[in-house]
Amino acid sequence: MRHQDKQFVAHSFKDEQISEHQFYRCHFIDCDFRGADLSECSFIECNFFESGEEKSCCFSGATLMDASFKKCDLSMAKFNYANCLGLEIRDSKALGCDFSRAAFSSQVSRNSFFCRAELTGNNLSYSNFQGTTLEKCDLSANRWNGANLKGASFVDSDLSQGEFRDIDWRSFDISGCDLREAELGQLDVRQVNLQGVKISHWQQQELLEALGLIVFP
């Protein structure tokens, strides 16, 4: 089902089954998506944040498997404890979103799991990813300024072209990540596990100069 140019105000989608729906240029004001099944839904150029009243939407505990948000404003939305396997968020504004304990992975066996998500080109400043596992995922070209990444695992993910300011690099795992062309802020190579991390030549110079070393070409 396709929805276009519609406005939903304080609407409750709680526990509803609305998978595979398409929303284009819709405006959601203070809507409740808790526990809803939004599998394979697509949202394009939709707004979930009312800036004047600072009201956003709640997706806590929702099923967002293979759901897609493109060019949306998701600022301050709550995604904690949601099933986000296969979630795609692209070129969107997502300041202050809460993804704490959201599940981007699927357990294959007792000791084996895989992650699947694409979060690219977004403004994720001041968002909360505490305790999330996003390994081997495309997380490129995002702004992470001031985000809470405590206990998160981004092992082997693509974090290239990202912007990292006011980040506690010691609080999360970036081993094996691609950090090429990213702005690394206050990253201290003496305090962070950089095993397998990829960086560009100019980043190497910046990191070494931060340690007091003078690097010549």
Side-chain angles (χ1 to χ4, degrees):
M1 182 178 295
R2 180 180 173 88
H3 312 269
Q4 183 170 333
D5 298 315
K6 292 184 178 180
Q7 179 169 286
F8 302 87
V9 181
H11 185 88
S12 177
F13 296 92
K14 186 177 180 181
D15 299 322
E16 286 191 17
Q17 168 65 257
I18 51 177
S19 59
E20 301 182 21
H21 284 219
Q22 298 177 336
F23 297 87
Y24 183 59
R25 289 202 309 258
C26 292
H27 194 173
F28 300 87
I29 302 173
D30 196 25
C31 291
D32 185 359
F33 292 91
R34 287 178 298 168
D37 186 353
L38 301 169
S39 299
E40 299 184 50
C41 279
S42 65
F43 299 89
I44 301 174
E45 296 182 20
C46 292
N47 192 341
F48 296 85
F49 180 65
E50 183 66 18
S51 57
E53 301 180 18
E54 294 190 358
K55 290 183 178 180
S56 192
C57 297
C58 183
F59 295 87
S60 299
T63 299
L64 291 160
M65 291 182 64
D66 297 312
S68 175
F69 296 86
K70 297 178 181 178
K71 297 182 179 180
C72 294
D73 189 348
L74 290 159
S75 297
M76 306 301 292
K78 294 180 174 63
F79 292 92
N80 47 314
Y81 296 99
N83 181 350
C84 296
L85 182 67
L87 177 64
E88 177 186 25
I89 303 179
R90 290 185 182 274
D91 304 320
S92 294
K93 188 176 180 181
L95 283 83
C97 283
D98 185 3
F99 288 95
S100 60
R101 307 298 175 182
F104 294 92
S105 60
S106 179
Q107 201 76 23
V108 178
S109 64
R110 183 176 180 180
N111 299 313
S112 178
F113 66 91
F114 70 92
C115 298
R116 188 160 52 85
E118 292 184 38
L119 311 180
T120 62
N122 305 300
N123 189 345
L124 298 170
S125 298
Y126 308 106
S127 54
N128 183 7
F129 282 85
Q130 182 171 348
T132 59
T133 300
L134 277 160
E135 300 186 359
K136 298 181 179 179
C137 293
D138 187 354
L139 309 176
S140 59
N142 293 312
R143 299 179 68 181
W144 302 88
N145 303 331
N148 176 12
L149 305 175
K150 184 177 181 180
S153 178
F154 291 165
V155 173
D156 293 330
S157 285
D158 184 355
L159 296 171
S160 63
Q161 303 178 65
E163 186 176 305
F164 296 87
R165 297 176 184 170
D166 300 319
I167 293 293
D168 183 359
W169 288 99
R170 298 167 298 177
S171 68
F172 63 109
D173 193 345
I174 58 167
S175 56
C177 284
D178 187 347
L179 287 171
R180 286 176 291 182
E181 305 303 317
E183 294 185 27
L184 301 178
Q186 296 80 35
L187 174 60
D188 189 332
V189 298
R190 297 166 296 184
Q191 299 178 340
V192 181
N193 177 18
L194 297 175
Q195 182 69 37
V197 168
K198 302 178 184 72
I199 59 172
S200 301
H201 183 269
W202 66 267
Q203 292 171 300
Q204 172 184 287
Q205 183 174 344
E206 283 193 354
L207 293 173
L208 291 176
E209 287 181 348
L211 300 179
L213 295 174
I214 301 175
V215 181
F216 291 92

